[in-house]
Amino acid sequence: MRGILFTEYLDFAASLTSEADIEKILFDLSDKINGSYTSVGNYSFKEFAHIHVALSEHLKRDPNDIAERFGKVLLHRFAELFPQYFEGVTSGLEFLDQVGSHIHVEVKKLYPDARPPEIILTEEKDGKYQLTYRSQRPLAAVARGLTSACLAYFKNAHKIISETSHQTHDGNHTIFEIQIPV
């Protein structure tokens, strides 16, 4: 997992509690994690999961709620850090379409060992869309947050109206149904 996700997550986590609490969480996990992260490093998803579960327990909050909130914050951070991907884009649907076909391709060029999730946006009928998210990591809640924040960022009226997830032999597969609420 790319280090930028770790560093952004730790900053996000500190905003929910405190730097001191995050340091204690990391210290308590020192037998399971590296504990020192840079935005350009590459780390095991297991470390991320240990930190996320420990933060959820510390805050006494549902891990999926925290993950979704992180996704929402992360979209805005990506807009600040990588404005070139947002320039000229007129809608959240257009941006979501570019994530898999352009942005993740660029990530793989920069980091050949990267394994970004597969994101496919398909237009159905009557203004409905289906966003397919496939990943080796169980981060559908982060994807939900990123998707919701993306639609809001570009002021789309579309919303996620349903979600279907299941495990496959090669990871997690989630389908988000997106449409303008009736």
Side-chain angles (χ1 to χ4, degrees), residues 25-55:
I25 288 169
L26 296 178
F27 178 79
D28 291 347
L29 292 170
S30 61
D31 61 329
K32 297 177 182 171
I33 65 169
N34 173 351
S36 179
Y37 306 100
T38 68
S39 63
V40 295
N42 197 22
Y43 308 99
S44 163
F45 172 74
K46 286 182 182 181
E47 290 189 48
F48 182 88
H50 285 302
I51 296 166
H52 182 65
V53 168
L55 176 67

Coordinates of all heavy atoms in Angstrom, one line a residue, residues 25-55:
I25 N -1.3 4.6 20.2 CA -1.8 3.5 19.4 C -0.7 2.8 18.7 O -0.6 1.6 18.6 CB -2.9 4.0 18.5 CG1 -4.2 4.3 19.2 CG2 -3.2 3.0 17.4 CD1 -5.3 5.1 18.4
L26 N 0.1 3.6 18.0 CA 1.3 3.1 17.3 C 2.2 2.3 18.2 O 2.7 1.3 17.8 CB 2.0 4.2 16.5 CG 1.2 4.9 15.4 CD1 2.0 6.0 14.8 CD2 0.7 3.9 14.4
F27 N 2.5 2.9 19.4 CA 3.4 2.2 20.3 C 2.8 0.9 20.8 O 3.5 -0.1 20.8 CB 3.6 3.1 21.5 CG 4.5 2.5 22.6 CD1 5.9 2.5 22.4 CD2 4.0 1.9 23.7 CE1 6.7 1.9 23.3 CE2 4.8 1.3 24.6 CZ 6.2 1.3 24.4
D28 N 1.5 0.9 21.1 CA 0.9 -0.4 21.5 C 0.9 -1.4 20.4 O 0.8 -2.6 20.7 CB -0.6 -0.1 22.0 CG -0.6 0.7 23.2 OD1 0.4 0.8 23.9 OD2 -1.7 1.2 23.6
L29 N 1.0 -1.0 19.2 CA 1.0 -1.9 18.0 C 2.4 -2.2 17.6 O 2.6 -2.9 16.5 CB 0.2 -1.4 16.8 CG -1.3 -1.2 17.0 CD1 -1.9 -0.4 15.9 CD2 -1.9 -2.6 17.1
S30 N 3.4 -1.8 18.3 CA 4.8 -1.9 17.8 C 5.3 -3.3 17.5 O 6.2 -3.5 16.7 CB 5.8 -1.2 18.8 OG 5.7 -1.9 20.0
D31 N 4.6 -4.3 18.0 CA 5.0 -5.7 17.7 C 4.4 -6.1 16.4 O 4.7 -7.2 15.8 CB 4.6 -6.6 18.8 CG 3.2 -6.7 19.1 OD1 2.5 -5.6 18.9 OD2 2.7 -7.7 19.6
K32 N 3.4 -5.3 15.8 CA 2.7 -5.7 14.6 C 3.0 -4.8 13.4 O 2.6 -5.1 12.3 CB 1.2 -5.7 14.9 CG 0.8 -6.7 15.9 CD -0.7 -6.6 16.2 CE -1.1 -7.6 17.3 NZ -2.5 -7.5 17.7
I33 N 3.5 -3.6 13.7 CA 3.7 -2.6 12.6 C 5.1 -2.0 12.6 O 5.8 -2.1 13.6 CB 2.6 -1.5 12.7 CG1 2.8 -0.7 14.0 CG2 1.2 -2.0 12.7 CD1 2.0 0.6 14.1
N34 N 5.4 -1.4 11.5 CA 6.7 -0.7 11.4 C 6.6 0.6 12.3 O 7.6 0.8 13.0 CB 6.8 -0.3 9.9 CG 8.0 0.6 9.6 OD1 8.7 1.1 10.5 ND2 8.3 0.8 8.3
G35 N 5.5 1.4 12.2 CA 5.4 2.5 13.0 C 6.0 3.8 12.5 O 5.7 4.9 13.0
S36 N 6.8 3.7 11.5 CA 7.4 4.9 10.9 C 7.0 4.9 9.4 O 7.4 4.0 8.7 CB 8.9 4.9 11.1 OG 9.5 6.0 10.5
Y37 N 6.3 5.9 8.9 CA 5.8 5.9 7.6 C 6.1 7.2 6.9 O 6.1 8.3 7.5 CB 4.2 5.7 7.6 CG 3.8 4.5 8.3 CD1 3.4 4.6 9.7 CD2 4.0 3.2 7.8 CE1 3.0 3.4 10.4 CE2 3.6 2.1 8.5 CZ 3.2 2.2 9.8 OH 2.8 1.1 10.5
T38 N 6.4 7.1 5.6 CA 6.6 8.3 4.7 C 5.7 8.2 3.6 O 5.2 7.1 3.2 CB 8.1 8.3 4.2 OG1 8.3 7.3 3.3 CG2 9.1 8.3 5.3
S39 N 5.4 9.3 3.0 CA 4.4 9.3 1.9 C 4.9 8.6 0.6 O 4.1 8.2 -0.2 CB 4.0 10.8 1.5 OG 5.2 11.5 1.1
V40 N 6.2 8.4 0.5 CA 6.8 7.7 -0.7 C 7.1 6.3 -0.4 O 7.5 5.6 -1.4 CB 8.1 8.5 -1.2 CG1 7.7 9.9 -1.7 CG2 9.1 8.5 -0.1
G41 N 6.9 5.8 0.8 CA 7.1 4.4 1.1 C 6.1 3.5 0.6 O 5.1 3.9 0.0
N42 N 6.3 2.2 0.8 CA 5.3 1.2 0.4 C 5.2 0.2 1.6 O 6.2 -0.3 2.1 CB 5.7 0.4 -0.8 CG 4.6 -0.4 -1.5 OD1 3.4 -0.1 -1.3 ND2 5.0 -1.4 -2.2
Y43 N 4.0 0.0 2.1 CA 3.8 -0.7 3.4 C 2.7 -1.8 3.2 O 1.8 -1.7 2.3 CB 3.4 0.2 4.5 CG 4.4 1.4 4.6 CD1 4.1 2.6 4.0 CD2 5.6 1.2 5.2 CE1 5.0 3.7 4.1 CE2 6.5 2.2 5.3 CZ 6.2 3.5 4.7 OH 7.1 4.5 4.8
S44 N 2.7 -2.7 4.1 CA 1.7 -3.8 4.1 C 0.4 -3.3 4.5 O 0.2 -2.5 5.4 CB 2.2 -4.9 5.1 OG 1.1 -5.8 5.4
F45 N -0.6 -3.8 3.8 CA -2.0 -3.5 4.1 C -2.3 -4.0 5.6 O -3.1 -3.3 6.3 CB -3.0 -4.1 3.1 CG -4.4 -3.9 3.6 CD1 -5.1 -2.7 3.6 CD2 -5.1 -5.0 4.2 CE1 -6.3 -2.5 4.0 CE2 -6.4 -4.8 4.6 CZ -7.0 -3.6 4.6
K46 N -1.7 -5.0 6.0 CA -2.0 -5.5 7.3 C -1.6 -4.5 8.4 O -2.3 -4.3 9.4 CB -1.2 -6.8 7.6 CG -1.7 -8.0 6.9 CD -0.9 -9.3 7.2 CE -1.5 -10.4 6.5 NZ -0.8 -11.7 6.8
E47 N -0.6 -3.7 8.1 CA -0.3 -2.6 9.1 C -1.4 -1.6 9.1 O -1.8 -1.1 10.2 CB 1.1 -2.0 8.7 CG 2.3 -2.9 8.9 CD 3.6 -2.1 8.7 OE1 3.7 -1.0 9.3 OE2 4.5 -2.6 8.0
F48 N -1.8 -1.2 7.9 CA -2.9 -0.2 7.9 C -4.1 -0.8 8.6 O -4.8 -0.1 9.4 CB -3.3 0.0 6.4 CG -4.4 1.0 6.2 CD1 -4.1 2.4 6.1 CD2 -5.7 0.6 6.1 CE1 -5.1 3.3 6.0 CE2 -6.7 1.6 5.9 CZ -6.4 2.9 5.9
A49 N -4.5 -2.0 8.4 CA -5.6 -2.7 9.1 C -5.5 -2.7 10.6 O -6.4 -2.3 11.3 CB -5.9 -4.1 8.6
H50 N -4.3 -3.0 11.1 CA -4.0 -3.0 12.5 C -4.3 -1.6 13.1 O -4.9 -1.4 14.1 CB -2.6 -3.4 12.9 CG -2.4 -4.9 12.7 ND1 -3.1 -5.8 13.4 CD2 -1.5 -5.5 12.0 CE1 -2.6 -7.0 13.1 NE2 -1.6 -6.9 12.2
I51 N -3.7 -0.6 12.4 CA -3.9 0.8 12.9 C -5.4 1.2 12.9 O -5.9 1.8 13.8 CB -3.0 1.8 12.0 CG1 -1.6 1.5 12.2 CG2 -3.3 3.3 12.4 CD1 -0.6 2.1 11.2
H52 N -6.1 0.9 11.8 CA -7.5 1.3 11.6 C -8.3 0.6 12.7 O -9.2 1.3 13.3 CB -7.9 0.9 10.2 CG -9.4 1.3 10.0 ND1 -9.8 2.6 9.9 CD2 -10.5 0.5 9.7 CE1 -11.1 2.6 9.7 NE2 -11.5 1.4 9.6
V53 N -8.1 -0.7 12.9 CA -8.9 -1.4 14.0 C -8.6 -0.8 15.4 O -9.5 -0.5 16.1 CB -8.6 -2.9 14.0 CG1 -9.2 -3.6 15.2 CG2 -9.2 -3.5 12.7
A54 N -7.3 -0.5 15.6 CA -7.0 0.1 16.9 C -7.6 1.5 17.1 O -8.1 1.8 18.2 CB -5.5 0.2 17.1
L55 N -7.6 2.3 16.0 CA -8.2 3.6 16.1 C -9.7 3.5 16.4 O -10.3 4.2 17.2 CB -8.0 4.4 14.8 CG -8.7 5.8 14.8 CD1 -8.1 6.7 15.8 CD2 -8.6 6.4 13.4

